[in-house]
Amino acid sequence: MNTITAAITAVGAYVPDFVLSNKVLETMVETNDEWITTRTGIKERRILKDADKGTSFLAIKAAQDLIQKANIDPLEIDMIIMATATADMPVASTGVYVATEIGATNAFAYDLQAACSSFLYGMSTAAAYIQSGRYKKVLLIGADKMSSIVDYTDRATCIIFGDGAGAVLFEPNYEGLGLQDEYLRSDGVGRDFLKITAGGSLVPTTIETVQNRQHNIIQDGKTVFKYAVTNMADASELIVKRNNLTNEDVNWLVPHQANKRIIDATASRMNLEDSKVLMNIEKYGNTTSATLPLVLNDFEHLFKKGDNIIFAAFGGGFTWGSIYLKWAYDKK
């Protein structure tokens, strides 16, 4: 078979040491463990406490973990896609800095931002570069320091988000493994329901925007939940039907870890048994661009060569979609 497909050949991850549990949040904002767990499925999240470290620190650690485990030379990496919603700084690309810091000096790099769908969109982009035949090793990193944009007096958002990073390496495959199909969508109606108001060209930073906390993430939880449940489930169901897969054919669902109820609704639409639905939301919360690779890293030991995996995500903007991928290796 001479057709090139793009397969994931290695994974890596990193989460900070500090654990922000629901019990600790009870001392910070009016909430409680039962309320958070019942509505989100989250028990704790990791927080990068170092004030002098940003998303790049998380990304570098995850990339180094992958490089060490896969025993690859960073100089062989052709390109790096940095999926993130919390870049270190405006203008200067976080991915470019990460590439240099990990020694991937032969690679070109850039950032990709699609909120919680950033990594899913990045999978599509990385696969396209591989399938073009021009590149052999594409490193896709999903990383976010969500604590840098969360208002810890806002119980609607501070209970949800955590910090973390994950990375995957895409390489050419000639056995028909790797990315098989994708269904990606977006709708600008979401702009008003999940956003950071200030700091961009529309509302530049002023003393007033800082005083009014306009640089923190805000969301209309009920609206976002409604759109997420419908669209993530629809996309996953469509990708399965379009590829003539039954619930028996699907080995694993790797969903964005935003809310356990959204994940359950997606799995229900696909008629999947619980054992096929991979979740670590209780440990990390919503790490935005990092959720999908963190799931891959945590459950890599379960995957077998040829397994059918369905990825699904939903993010602000709105952005969403589903990807069908055949796993390419057995973990040694």
Side-chain angles (χ1 to χ4, degrees), residues 115-116 157 161 190-196 217-220 224 314-318:
C116 291
T157 55
F161 296 103
R191 180 178 168 112
D192 293 329
F193 302 114
L194 179 54
K195 62 182 177 179
I196 294 175
I217 191 169
I218 57 173
Q219 76 166 346
D220 178 339
V224 173
F314 182 89
F318 290 127

Side-chain angles (χ1 to χ4, degrees), residues 134-191:
R134 292 183 180 180
Y135 305 100
K136 302 299 184 185
K137 284 183 169 60
V138 177
L139 181 63
L140 170 61
I141 307 170
D144 272 302
K145 185 182 177 181
M146 294 303 292
S147 61
S148 66
I149 58 173
V150 166
D151 177 358
Y152 284 94
T153 67
D154 176 15
R155 69 173 184 172
T157 55
C158 72
I159 65 170
I160 298 170
F161 296 103
D163 302 339
V168 302
L169 184 68
F170 275 93
E171 294 186 273
N173 184 277
Y174 300 93
E175 301 176 90
L177 303 173
L179 197 146
Q180 305 294 306
D181 195 12
E182 62 183 47
Y183 178 79
L184 305 177
R185 290 293 183 271
S186 60
D187 187 344
V189 70
R191 180 178 168 112

